[in-house]
Amino acid sequence: MAKIFCVANQKGGVGKTTTTVNLAAGLAKVGQRVLVVDLDPQGNATMGSGIDKRQLELSVYDVLLESCSVAEAKQHSEKAGYDVLGANRELAGAEVELVDLERRERRLKTALAAAKDDYDFVLIDCPPSLSMLTLNGLCCAHGVVVPMQCEYFALEGLSDLVNTIKQVHANLNPDLQIIGLLRVMFDPRITLQNQVSDQLKSHFGDKVFDSVIPRNVRLAEAPSYGLPGVVFDPSSKGAHAFVDFAREMVRRVNTM
Ligand code: ADP
Ligand code: MG
């Protein structure tokens, strides 16, 4: 049965999409069956997995409006090694259209329940907001992976996310927990980053993943080739870090 994780942080540009597609590719590499759900109307996870968002016949939008199933809307990315439930600009409209519908925050949960035996991992790339789309993601997840840069304001933004997760946990999804904080775009030469990293570990203890993702230009270049960095340049430092992280996730899941 699939374990479902949201990759969330309400800040933009912190590495959510990079984490989603590279963790997915890393998990596929170590033999896991993976589905990536793109919940961001920007469709970056879709494009970054080698699926053209402009050519989607069915997308996560259709799934949220219950006009098709996950199995019907998903596409397989041969190169990336996993399935993708894609998104494009159409998804921005779902926010408004869902408002008047019943079970509006549970649409994705219901849809994924029908696909749970097809995958070991479902990774949901959330938009940079705490919106109805993100809420749909949090409602169906077993855990949240929070990518963060070790910068001064990182901890401040974290408290809003932690509060949202607590509320969803209390009201909508008792399974939900922060599975871990992932330090991304890390540069060990920068003193402040080391200090924030130490602070994170003292505040959050073993909720901080052991794996650390370095700042690595190959990870940033990969999306323009429609590939996760793990596939684009498997020998790069960034790719190695994400494959290590995938192994760490498999270990965590086995102890959940
Ligand atoms: P988000 O999905 O949170 O908005 P992205 O994953 O799109 O963030 O990352 C924001 C930018 O930072 C992108 O241009 C991406 O290529 C770049 N980036 C992300 N992680 C790394 C990394 N480890 N090293 C270098 N660049 C990175
Ligand atoms: Mg993104």
Side-chain angles (χ1 to χ4, degrees), residues 79-132:
K79 285 192 237 161
Y82 53 81
D83 284 355
V84 180
L85 180 53
N88 54 29
R89 286 172 54 196
E90 212 181 11
L91 182 60
E95 192 80 40
V96 178
E97 288 167 59
L98 283 171
V99 167
D100 290 331
L101 303 179
E102 57 187 64
R103 301 175 293 103
R104 59 188 174 181
E105 69 283 331
R106 295 181 202 272
R107 294 288 173 119
L108 188 61
K109 184 184 170 83
T110 310
L112 284 176
K116 68 180 193 299
D117 293 329
D118 299 336
Y119 302 101
D120 301 306
F121 282 86
V122 177
L123 304 180
I124 304 172
D125 188 28
C126 290
S129 60
L130 299 171
S131 61
M132 183 55 67

Side-chain angles (χ1 to χ4, degrees), residues 15-29:
K16 290 181 290 296
T17 301
T18 306
T19 298
T20 305
V21 300
N22 283 287
L23 174 58
L27 287 167
K29 209 167 186 166

Side-chain angles (χ1 to χ4, degrees), residues 12-249:
V14 290
K16 290 181 290 296
T17 301
T18 306
T19 298
T20 305
V21 300
N22 283 287
L23 174 58
L27 287 167
K29 209 167 186 166
V30 300
Q32 304 293 309
R33 299 168 303 158
V34 183
L35 171 69
V36 163
V37 178
D38 193 349
L39 265 192
D40 188 338
Q42 293 184 76
N44 293 346
T46 306
M47 297 295 276
S49 303
I51 305 289
D52 191 343
K53 66 180 178 184
R54 292 154 301 194
Q55 316 238 312
L56 294 175
E57 276 177 28
L58 294 168
S59 70
V60 68
Y61 171 83
D62 302 284
V63 170
L64 288 170
L65 293 183
E66 297 184 340
S67 50
C68 70
S69 68
V70 172
E72 286 164 335
K74 66 111 179 21
Q75 294 198 34
H76 184 65
S77 170
E78 200 64 52
K79 285 192 237 161
Y82 53 81
D83 284 355
V84 180
L85 180 53
N88 54 29
R89 286 172 54 196
E90 212 181 11
L91 182 60
E95 192 80 40
V96 178
E97 288 167 59
L98 283 171
V99 167
D100 290 331
L101 303 179
E102 57 187 64
R103 301 175 293 103
R104 59 188 174 181
E105 69 283 331
R106 295 181 202 272
R107 294 288 173 119
L108 188 61
K109 184 184 170 83
T110 310
L112 284 176
K116 68 180 193 299
D117 293 329
D118 299 336
Y119 302 101
D120 301 306
F121 282 86
V122 177
L123 304 180
I124 304 172
D125 188 28
C126 290
S129 60
L130 299 171
S131 61
M132 183 55 67
L133 291 171
T134 300
L135 201 55
N136 259 275
L138 293 176
C139 265
C140 54
H142 300 105
V144 185
V145 173
V146 184
M148 52 189 306
Q149 288 171 257
C150 291
E151 284 172 352
Y152 183 66
F153 288 115
L155 289 167
E156 205 165 295
L158 207 55
S159 58
D160 291 337
L161 182 63
V162 169
N163 284 334
T164 303
I165 290 169
K166 275 188 188 153
Q167 281 178 23
V168 174
H169 174 87
N171 299 310
L172 295 165
N173 178 3
D175 287 343
L176 190 68
Q177 52 170 311
I178 292 190
I179 187 90
L181 306 176
L182 177 67
R183 291 162 285 173
V184 299
M185 297 190 228
F186 192 76
D187 185 344
R189 294 167 302 183
I190 299 175
T191 309
L192 176 65
Q193 293 208 2
N194 286 302
Q195 287 169 347
V196 174
S197 174
D198 290 343
Q199 270 179 359
L200 275 181
K201 279 193 281 190
S202 62
H203 272 77
F204 293 96
D206 61 6
K207 288 276 179 196
V208 181
F209 288 111
D210 295 331
S211 310
V212 178
I213 310 300
R215 185 171 281 284
N216 178 249
V217 69
R218 303 300 270 169
L219 291 173
E221 288 168 349
S224 61
Y225 296 86
L227 292 171
V230 164
V231 178
F232 173 61
D233 185 354
S235 64
S236 63
K237 276 191 180 168
H240 281 294
F242 270 113
V243 175
D244 287 346
F245 177 46
R247 292 205 178 91
E248 185 175 2
M249 278 296 284

